[in-house]
Amino acid sequence: MIRRRPSRRFANLAIGSASVLVYVFFYVPVAVLVLFSFNQARTGGRWGGFTTEWYSALFDNDRLITAAQNSLLIAVVATAVAVVLGTMLSLAIDRRTFRGRTAAQQVVYLPVIAPEIVTGVALLAFFSLTLGRLNDLLGRGAQDALRMGRPTIIIAHVAFCTAFVALVVRSSLRTLDPSLEEAAQDLGANAWTTFWRVTLPSIMPGVLGGALLAFTLSLDNFVITFFVSGPGATTLPIEVFGQLRRTISPEVNAISTLIFGASTLLLVGALVVQSTVSRQRSQRIRPLSRQPRNRAAQARATQATHTQLEGQP
Amino acid sequence: MDQHSQRGTVSLRKVTKRFGDAVAVNAVNLEVEAGEFISLLGPSGCGKTTTLRMISGFELPTEGRVHISGRDATDTPPHLRTVNSVFQSYALFGHMTVAENVAFGLRVKRRDKPTIERKVQETLDLVQLSDFGSRFPGQLSGGQQQRVALARAVINEPDVLLLDEPLSALDLKLRQAMRYELTRLHDELAMTFVFVTHDQTEAITMSDRIAVMDQGEIHQLGTPVDIYERPATRFVAEFIGEVNMLEATVVGGDGTRTEVLLSSGDRLTCAPVGDSRLTPGVSVVLTVRPQRVLLTPEGGIDSQEHASLRGELRELLFLGDSTRGTVGLADGTELVAVRHNEDGTHPFGTLRPGDRVDVGWRHGTACLVQ
Amino acid sequence: MDQHSQRGTVSLRKVTKRFGDAVAVNAVNLEVEAGEFISLLGPSGCGKTTTLRMISGFELPTEGRVHISGRDATDTPPHLRTVNSVFQSYALFGHMTVAENVAFGLRVKRRDKPTIERKVQETLDLVQLSDFGSRFPGQLSGGQQQRVALARAVINEPDVLLLDEPLSALDLKLRQAMRYELTRLHDELAMTFVFVTHDQTEAITMSDRIAVMDQGEIHQLGTPVDIYERPATRFVAEFIGEVNMLEATVVGGDGTRTEVLLSSGDRLTCAPVGDSRLTPGVSVVLTVRPQRVLLTPEGGIDSQEHASLRGELRELLFLGDSTRGTVGLADGTELVAVRHNEDGTHPFGTLRPGDRVDVGWRHGTACLVQ
Amino acid sequence: MMAARAARAASGGSGTALRRSAAPLLAPGLLWISVVYVIPGALILVYSFLTPKLGGGVVWQATLDSWEEIVARGRRSDAGWGTVGAAALRGIATAAVAAVPTVAAARYLGRRISRGLGFAALLGALAAVNHLASAYNNYTAVFARSVVWSLWATVVCICLALPLAVFISSRSSPVTKNALLIAVMVSFWTSMLVRTYAIRFLLANTGPLNNLIEALGLDRVVFLNTRFAVILGLVYTALPFMILPLYAATERVERAQMEAARDLGARPPQVFADVFVPMVRPGLTVGVVMVFVLSVSQYLVPTLLGGGKTNMIANLLELQFGEAFNWPLGAAVAALFSVVTFAGLYLTVGRRDQEELL
Amino acid sequence: GDDDDDSADATTTTVDSMPEAPTSEADAETPDADAEMPDAESPMSERCGDPDRLGDSINFLNWADYIDEAVLEMFEEECGVSVTMDTHVANEEAIAKVDAGNSGYSLVIVTDYAVEIMSSQGLLQELDMGEIPNAANIDPNQMDPYYDPGNVYSLPYQYSTTGLAFDETAFSTPPTSYSAIFDENSHCGSSSLLEDQREVLGAALVYLGYDWNEVSQAAHDEALDLVLESRDCVTGFDSANYIGNLASGEVLVAQSWGFAAGIAYLDNPNIRYIIPEEGGTIWQDNFLIPADAPDPYTAHVLINYMLEPDIGALITEFTIGYTPNLTVPPLLSDGYYEVIAGAGLELTDDIRERLVWQVRSEEHSIFAETWSEVIAAG
Ligand SMILES: Nc1ncnc2c1ncn2[C@@H]1O[C@H](COP(=O)(O)OP(=O)(O)OP(=O)(O)O)[C@@H](O)[C@H]1O
Ligand SMILES: Nc1ncnc2c1ncn2[C@@H]1O[C@H](COP(=O)(O)OP(=O)(O)OP(=O)(O)O)[C@@H](O)[C@H]1O
Ligand SMILES: [Mg+2]
Ligand SMILES: [Mg+2]
């Protein structure tokens, strides 16, 4: 029903098709791997018929399962810690003044701008040096020595995840009306209550967004993980990279498909919840400046204001 | 002194607030009585909000002390003060329902649930929002949000309620309605209200007393009539209502009248300013309200009872309810007269722009300020 | 018709705008003359902005045509129309200096640099911001930003200047100053101004003509005096200025007077409405402006020349410039009288709330609308 | 807007906040990041002055060999004044070619011609520096190539992300917006490696894309192990990091300002360049920094899609830390690389944008 | 297997399903090792050494995709030791991990020159041959290598060669020289070289008439020019994808690991493998025990276990390399021999003549320098 000028329609069309293109770009490789996970032929390239055998094979493939478990575990732990640390950092940077604030900001920004490969080798050097020294110091034998593995991976992942969380949370903190927190204090809430009851719920979208990003980054990290992993701490990307020596096994496609499917389901679920909540909330929203349609009520308002109640049906 | 009797008083003693080099509030003394409705009135940036925030505890005074309910509260953190605020932006918690918003103060004080529920219901009744408890703030109109903010503050039964321009985001009609609402609440609750505004009509219609501020200082503290009729300074005269100002020099006078020389060359006799220390030679400003200015054809003013000046009618402006006439005096200064359009006819009779006119005012209706 | 003579005219012919199902503007006809200062006045959401945006080209009418300067511009994109807008939020470019903001329109039209510089200087002079050219909008006060927005629009010498509530974000004093400024500019520039506002005072003091809108329709188009004194509908009466409204039923009358029965039981005689087709039995509303309502002790009204009703004084409210008395009539309806505080004494004499009073108005000052 | 933020920042620091220390909030995160980034970074610097050990690692014996190798030693084959001349010529040629479109664009947008020329000159200078770096020695050559490809990837990312950001932010329902945003992220929940492998398959000489090309009657094109594939991979990997901040910035764009520009007679491209781009600049800066840094140090993409024929700085580092057993040299390359990257970022990203970055 | 002579697909299946076949054969040969009832109170298999000294678990670092996982499962079941195998994709990676100290690995498999480097740096412990009785099974030809004289630190695991693999159908006369890639490359755009500085430069050096391990600057300059020239022709320097590419026909001639040619042959029976007339390399992967291994004894047991005939057969069937274990060849399936024969992987004495070992010492860092020129070139 809405008339549009042709030029604007053209612009919208261009923007829309460019966007579709981007999604195609993102999802064609995903589609390929999903397809391959059902492909009977072991080496890609040709279609050998539909099969689910790779999925059943997957359940016997301890290495892949373990690697996937490792990846998920590390991502979950790193994300959890990073969300806490990153939120704290962004609170400090946004809400407190202290000397060296700029320097602190730049340190926080380091993981974003530091080349991954440099970080990887630096961490390898660092951990070999410190773990060795620590073991010497503690007199640990070979059996119970400190060594690289899941802990070192988590330490590394937490660092860069923290930076990204801080980045995202800071941007939502900046748009948060500071008088909300003051209102809470004014009503008798101490700093702690204010944070839990008011600040955190208000910046929750930012925190969740940061967590999502951190989780994605951790799950997908190869280079840094590669350098700091140790016995029994093979993550999925590292396992897959090893397999590239031959051809990638269809089971890898299968597990990728599973992870993809599960996360999509999860997020779609979250979206459905969000949409119901937001539909609920947006019911009968009235913008601030809208006045009642009832003119008679207004007329009375000028004479005897107390009889007039804005919002009466 | 008896603590109890002081409940609800606020007292600022030589309170100064500096931000870096800038002085936001300058050695302000203010005594608010219990149960009073006091307004802080002044232009943007004059320090009203800063003053309020020192009372609520969000700013620390650089110098001076803040007493609330008779106790020195200067170092008490906000959440332990017996004052509550209504913020200009409402600052409602968007993730909580109206009822949860209102319950917040009691919940953080860990009142038991039945009490909280009962009081929330009572308070929502008070602000006439009983049916809106389960809505979210985003689903309310501006005026309703305003009332939620109010309910959220008053449910805590603070000694003092602070309101920072709570009406400025509302449109005219709603603002009028909310003014009435606030006055009603003040009567019902018997709390001290400290109300910040830059709208003189708001201050005048609602307050017991008004503190007029400018540049961090309180220029005058008094009842609305005091402030309107007897402005202490030029700034107050100018800020409250429309006013004509004529530069003048004192040339003589005694205890009962002062003789001044206007820049237009006219000599006038005025009632003296309160504690008249106006010695000849002092520069003063003669202020007179437009609605007290007579505007007649030449010679139409009885110069016995009235001060009278001669000029030319420059402009007549229809304002709807009233008409405004602008008169140019001999030296070019302008004087404005306003008259209600009482009976649908031109309130200044047959006068037309360009006519020679007399303007004047009854002796005693003009005021001298320094 | 001659193109040149039409420069600056705007004409909306049966223009309708629908958003989905909602009708924002409903079959509006509007002829604006060249050089006129016309205001669109109406409550929030009545379609003012939408109307303006159809003139500037940001919305396409669902039906009807828009003519600008005599030419059909309905399908002309915004950047090719000879109109410019001043946006409510100013919409200044924050990343450009004031001078760059003002120069923008000329720059995108690729005028040569010296011309641009000269004109920017001239325009900044015009709005009295010559010294602020190199500042950024963020460093200016609201009123100054306003003037930059104005300068940015008028530098293009549009045939028509559209202003969407340009003053609503300013505080009272500044608003008054800017009103004056705008009127001055209109006189100097001889452009057509289409001015959108929901503030009646603004519309009344500035405009040549006012179009009062509600719910997407123009209720009345006329001069300020017309609209104030002879509202065509109840909505207009109510929206323009403060007004008392009394429900009444026509009980008789002839061509020169109409007799009505008020809900309070009083019978009154009124001047008829313009094209009086008021036959007995019709419900009408009697409107009378508060400043035309007399308020006296019982029996104080000359019922020969005045309509007169009996009631009780409920409230007296000091408003600074004036005092407002609220009277309750027999049936509980209220009537408001407003009187200037002309000589510093109580304008209603010795009357106090609770007193029995007479209220009334000179015949002919009340109006009947449907 | 900035003034308001400054005021807020200041007020945040006043009053009650003043009484609280930042340390408890700041310390854990800052310490953590320092342990993982700052200290190892310093260690790398130290390593670059040590002696390599066969089998990897270092011998704790100071030497300047590594730095001499990468700074002082030019490439055997084609160093000399001739190269400088060639570089100058190439710069001038590039500037001349670029000048035509940039000046036209400047004219069209109503900007000064000198700005168009300046931009062309900048491109020329870049080309010349690139030429010099490519000729100077192996390290500068690989470095220059990494930078140039990452710049290309950044440009492509901007071109793809801008319409998408506008598209998403012009949706009216917040749920749709979130769904579209999440759709960007979700594809990243399958391992990058696996997806890159899928891209390999798609681009192969005998892959579907080439089959399609052949079906259209054209000759098969070699995509794999070329710059094209590598830059495509870089874009694929980094695109979300452009989309997310750009979307956030687009959300904050005020429609009124764009309409004001239209109203003042600006044609849509002018509105875009003069109003939209400056308004989304903070987000754009964040995106550009992230995409560039991510791309310039990419390891997987050149390895998987470059097939050893098209290498970037990470491959060189990998060689030194791996097969070459020359950690000090690798450390020196890494240190130099980081320093140049940081310096470049600080020089190109303005003060204001830096504040915006975090 | 009965489906040996079927198509390539069938062959794939055969190799995949291989674990069962040799296991049953092993059962037949060593009846005391009752694979069906390995657990419970029945005495542990004697292939598990001394149960008192045997640990519960062991960390094992191996090349990726270089062992049939069934072997590890069998060991776990038979001996009750859980094996965590991590993989590396380069010897350098393994060295770095062990060099970092306390890597946690008790058993590591790396290629020849890496053993020399590691032992020279004191990263390894001497093997106790008393605990590895199966060492006696090993082919003397593969013992006492240059990198570990006397096998003090290492025992061979698998070995193979590096040569050329090609698609028979693409050549009228099968190539016999590196010229198929370096010069007169008739399959420009369909050839590939390994991503390995030593192999590529070595091949170039021998092609130019130098020694495979040549370190003179002049020779390297020449070799570099040759590699840079052929760079435009090869699809890539690639150690992994070319296997699939050979199978799919994307690559027609490639420098290749021997075992990899076998794998490619499984998918594409037209693949043939040769050692060019200029020569090729032989290389051998070895068991090592790091000096700081947490559980050296269990590592010895595992080494010994993997040198069992049936286990060795499982491993070799999987890797398609050559086994150094003399007891294994009789147990290998027909499928294995079909691949070796079909792809031309037989290691005759004639071919052995042409093979050299890669040597690696300080002076060989010139290979890295030359290679960084290759990297810098594109
Ligand atoms: N946190 C701060 N840092 C620096 N200056 C400040 C700060 N807060 C207020 N000021 C300055 O102090 C002065 C008083 O500010 P205040 O907010 O109290 O004014 P106000 O009377 O409330 O004005 P408004 O009507 O505009 O709200 C102003 O000049 C303001 O710029
Ligand atoms: N883009 C739109 N989509 C849907 N409805 C719209 C849109 N723009 C305006 N409307 C609706 O059209 C009606 C008229 O809106 P308009 O903005 O013209 O009002 P207005 O008179 O300018 O009000 P205000 O004083 O609040 O600015 C309103 O009900 C509004 O909700
Ligand atoms: Mg304030
Ligand atoms: Mg509007």
Side-chain angles (χ1 to χ4, degrees), chain A residues 120-150:
Chain A
V121 296
L123 277 176
L124 175 63
F126 172 73
F127 280 134
S128 5
L129 208 65
T130 47
L131 289 183
R133 291 287 139 84
L134 265 177
N135 282 324
D136 293 349
L137 206 70
L138 299 171
R140 295 258 168 106
Q143 275 296 349
D144 54 357
L146 298 169
R147 60 178 62 107
M148 292 203 244
R150 278 195 288 241

Side-chain angles (χ1 to χ4, degrees), chain C residues 49 88 164-165:
Chain C
T49 298
Q88 173 169 357
D164 192 356
E165 311 204 9

Side-chain angles (χ1 to χ4, degrees), chain A residues 42-43 46 63 124 128 135 141-143 145-148 226 229-234 241-247, chain E residues 16 59 63-65 69 84-87 89 93 97 100 102-105 240 243-244 259 263 267 292-295 318:
Chain A
R42 193 174 172 98
T43 44
R46 65 212 155 77
R63 296 191 57 75
L124 175 63
S128 5
N135 282 324
Q143 275 296 349
L146 298 169
R147 60 178 62 107
M148 292 203 244
F226 179 81
S229 69
T234 305
F241 190 72
Q243 292 206 359
L244 292 181
R245 267 170 66 82
R246 276 194 186 180
T247 55
Chain E
D16 280 344
N59 290 322
W63 283 95
D65 227 1
E69 306 247 343
T84 306
M85 184 180 77
D86 291 307
T87 58
V89 292
E93 186 193 343
K97 287 204 160 139
N102 278 305
S103 63
Y105 297 112
I243 306 173
F259 74 89
I263 293 169
D267 281 340
D292 57 4
D295 191 351
F318 184 86

Side-chain angles (χ1 to χ4, degrees), chain B residues 227-267:
Chain B
I227 294 217
Y228 186 82
E229 299 289 350
R230 289 171 288 281
T233 67
R234 177 179 176 144
F235 170 79
V236 175
E238 195 165 46
F239 193 77
I240 309 293
E242 208 181 352
V243 72
N244 290 295
M245 298 218 166
L246 299 171
E247 303 290 336
T249 317
V250 177
V251 290
D254 52 30
T256 55
R257 10 194 67 206
T258 310
E259 216 171 331
V260 295
L261 179 67
L262 297 186
S263 55
S264 60
D266 295 290
R267 251 166 191 270

Side-chain angles (χ1 to χ4, degrees), chain B residues 49 88 164-165:
Chain B
T49 298
Q88 172 170 358
D164 192 355
E165 310 204 8

Side-chain angles (χ1 to χ4, degrees), chain C residues 259-332:
Chain C
E259 216 168 333
V260 296
L261 179 67
L262 296 187
S263 55
S264 60
D266 294 290
R267 249 165 193 272
L268 290 175
T269 316
C270 298
V273 196
D275 55 341
S276 161
R277 297 175 324 283
L278 297 177
T279 50
V282 170
S283 282
V284 291
V285 176
L286 183 144
T287 67
V288 57
R289 304 282 172 190
Q291 72 272 20
R292 302 196 182 144
V293 173
L294 302 178
L295 180 56
T296 65
E298 269 188 319
I301 291 182
D302 163 19
S303 56
Q304 198 61 31
E305 285 185 34
H306 297 81
S308 161
L309 300 168
R310 196 139 287 189
E312 182 194 314
L313 184 58
R314 293 235 174 112
E315 190 187 46
L316 278 178
L317 189 60
F318 177 71
L319 297 178
D321 294 342
S322 52
T323 299
R324 164 205 299 256
T326 311
V327 176
L329 300 184
D331 65 335

Side-chain angles (χ1 to χ4, degrees), chain E residues 4-284:
Chain E
D4 284 349
D5 29 349
D6 276 349
S7 69
D9 268 339
T11 316
T12 313
T13 331
T14 311
V15 172
D16 280 344
S17 59
M18 199 60 74
E20 282 83 15
T23 311
S24 51
E25 279 177 65
D27 286 346
E29 274 205 354
T30 49
D32 41 354
D34 190 354
E36 251 129 44
M37 303 191 56
D39 45 9
E41 74 280 13
S42 77
M44 219 189 282
S45 151
E46 63 184 40
R47 311 204 289 187
C48 297
D50 178 357
D52 295 336
R53 296 170 65 198
L54 200 62
D56 297 332
S57 62
I58 183 169
N59 290 322
F60 172 31
L61 183 62
N62 188 7
W63 283 95
D65 227 1
Y66 205 40
I67 191 168
D68 189 332
E69 306 247 343
V71 170
L72 304 179
E73 280 161 31
M74 285 168 68
F75 183 67
E76 278 179 22
E77 262 179 45
E78 208 169 317
C79 304
V81 179
S82 86
V83 182
T84 306
M85 184 180 77
D86 291 307
T87 58
H88 61 82
V89 292
N91 287 315
E92 292 73 19
E93 186 193 343
I95 298 175
K97 287 204 160 139
V98 174
D99 189 30
N102 278 305
S103 63
Y105 297 112
S106 297
L107 180 59
V108 178
I109 290 180
V110 298
T111 317
D112 36 47
Y113 68 89
V115 178
E116 189 178 27
I117 290 171
M118 289 172 86
S119 63
S120 72
Q121 312 215 334
L123 297 176
L124 304 179
Q125 55 180 268
E126 296 185 11
L127 300 182
D128 182 350
M129 291 303 170
E131 304 289 357
I132 314 176
N134 286 335
N137 297 342
I138 296 175
D139 182 356
N141 270 331
Q142 300 304 122
M143 292 291 274
D144 196 20
Y146 83 95
Y147 54 82
D148 185 18
N151 286 88
V152 180
Y153 299 104
S154 69
L155 281 175
Y157 170 67
Q158 298 280 292
Y159 67 102
S160 188
T161 58
T162 310
L164 285 184
F166 58 93
D167 190 325
E168 194 183 34
T169 57
F171 289 83
S172 45
T173 50
T176 57
S177 155
Y178 288 115
S179 67
I181 289 179
F182 286 137
D183 253 343
E184 307 149 13
N185 188 332
S186 53
H187 295 84
C188 206
S190 298
S191 60
S192 98
L193 285 166
L194 288 169
E195 188 194 13
D196 186 309
Q197 44 163 335
R198 298 303 308 270
E199 300 285 7
V200 174
L201 292 176
L205 285 167
V206 293
Y207 179 68
L208 292 167
Y210 296 98
D211 187 73
W212 193 281
N213 291 311
E214 176 69 55
V215 293
S216 79
Q217 186 66 57
H220 272 263
D221 284 351
E222 258 186 81
L224 176 63
D225 289 342
L226 181 62
V227 172
L228 288 182
E229 245 171 67
S230 52
R231 217 186 128 266
D232 297 332
C233 238
V234 298
T235 58
F237 297 102
D238 178 5
S239 301
N241 295 303
Y242 78 94
I243 306 173
N245 289 346
L246 274 174
S248 69
E250 179 122 354
V251 164
L252 298 173
V253 53
Q255 191 182 23
S256 174
W257 321 109
F259 74 89
I263 293 169
Y265 177 84
L266 288 175
D267 281 340
N268 179 353
N270 297 323
I271 300 300
R272 295 291 175 274
Y273 179 76
I274 56 147
I275 301 296
E277 55 201 15
E278 294 91 350
T281 52
I282 180 168
W283 44 264
Q284 177 159 272

